[in-house]
Amino acid sequence: MHPAQRLLTLAVAPTPSMFAPVSTPAFAIRELSILVFAIVVAIFVVVAALTVYAIVRYRRRPGDDGREPPQVYGSAQIELAWTVVPFLIVVVLFLTTARYIFAIEGRAPAPGALEVTIVGHQWWWEIRYPGLGIVTANELHVPVSDPARPTPTFLTLQSADVIHSFWIPQLAGKTDVIPGKTNRSWIDPRTPGVYVGQCAEFCGLQHAGMLLRAIVHPQEEFDRWVAAQRTVAADVAAAHAGRDVFISLACINCHAVRGTPANGVFGPDLTHLMSRGTLGAGVAPNSRENLRAWVRDPAALKPGALMPSMQLSGDQLDQLIGYLVTLR
Ligand code: CUA
């Protein structure tokens, strides 16, 4: 799927459900929830059954004389039973929950694991990949993790202002994001896809407008995303440097790029250079590679062309092309 198409599908991403986990902490939370739910359902059924039994068994019948039945005060056995049984239920719930919490929180980052720093702001998420030099926002990209050889992503959670809470229900439990404190979480999504989340702590006017998306890629696709994120940054830097090269050279005596000091009219206007299909009046398709060859030595493509070779170094040429390809 083309990345733009993928983004379109984000708008119709399903409602987040903790009952459709794809990551170890979320699986654990679902397991625990089902256990707790089963216990409370059992309690409900017992209580409701006894209530219904008492209502039916001791209802008013024709011929009742209106007097109360024999009243029983105090029963050590019953008192003991309804104290000990709930206590045991609470002990079971406590121990199971503690086991799950320690299993999730005790996971130490493996060396070389992907680390992401997420900073809550009013009302958006800053997302940083310190090891990769990538900075983005609101959409967390991570690689899928093979359950046979898990590669979890570790999250460092911080706040720039007030308390927020990071929650993508299908990936992990919510973790508060607290000013002055660093919290940690981790995810190891097993299925590629888009998983939606939400700030889960009231943080002001736009709390409800503080949404999150995690995009889980197959490893190669994630590597391409990383490369693209880094290339874009490099391209912007090259384009800035390239603009300086362009302005400093004789290019501007012959070519115009409207909005810059370049206002020459001897050669073609370059303001929307990349919107044209060909170079040198049709001698070559207008691609990055051909453009580079053209600028290096126009006569090689079009003998006798009046545009001179500017004798640029490889670096200058790269920077210049980096700028020219932005002219759309
Ligand atoms: Cu941020 Cu609610």
Side-chain angles (χ1 to χ4, degrees), residues 225-285:
W225 177 80
V226 168
Q229 290 289 309
R230 304 180 71 165
T231 313
V232 167
D235 270 359
V236 170
H240 281 286
R243 187 179 183 279
D244 295 341
V245 171
F246 180 74
I247 301 295
S248 70
L249 293 174
C251 310
I252 62 173
N253 296 331
C254 293
H255 293 286
V257 175
R258 279 165 273 148
T260 76
N263 59 2
V265 294
F266 194 64
D269 185 304
L270 301 179
T271 312
H272 299 291
L273 170 65
M274 297 313 287
S275 69
R276 298 199 283 263
T278 63
L279 287 173
V283 297

Side-chain angles (χ1 to χ4, degrees), residues 121 123 125 163-165 199-203 207 210:
H121 293 256
W123 288 279
W125 303 95
I163 301 178
H164 305 273
S165 188
C199 178
E201 179 70 45
F202 182 68
C203 55
H207 160 66
M210 194 167 166

Side-chain angles (χ1 to χ4, degrees), residues 159-235:
S159 170
D161 37 47
V162 301
I163 301 178
H164 305 273
S165 188
F166 181 87
W167 194 27
I168 302 177
Q170 287 172 274
L171 300 185
K174 67 180 84 140
T175 305
D176 278 2
V177 175
I178 296 171
K181 183 177 190 315
T182 293
N183 279 339
R184 299 272 292 164
S185 181
W186 61 274
I187 54 176
D188 62 346
R190 301 170 191 180
T191 319
V194 176
Y195 303 100
V196 293
Q198 166 80 52
C199 178
E201 179 70 45
F202 182 68
C203 55
L205 185 63
Q206 277 303 328
H207 160 66
M210 194 167 166
L211 298 137
L212 265 167
R213 291 174 195 283
I215 295 114
V216 177
H217 301 276
Q219 185 66 49
E220 320 77 66
E221 192 179 291
F222 178 73
D223 293 341
R224 281 201 298 278
W225 177 80
V226 168
Q229 290 289 309
R230 304 180 71 165
T231 313
V232 167
D235 270 359

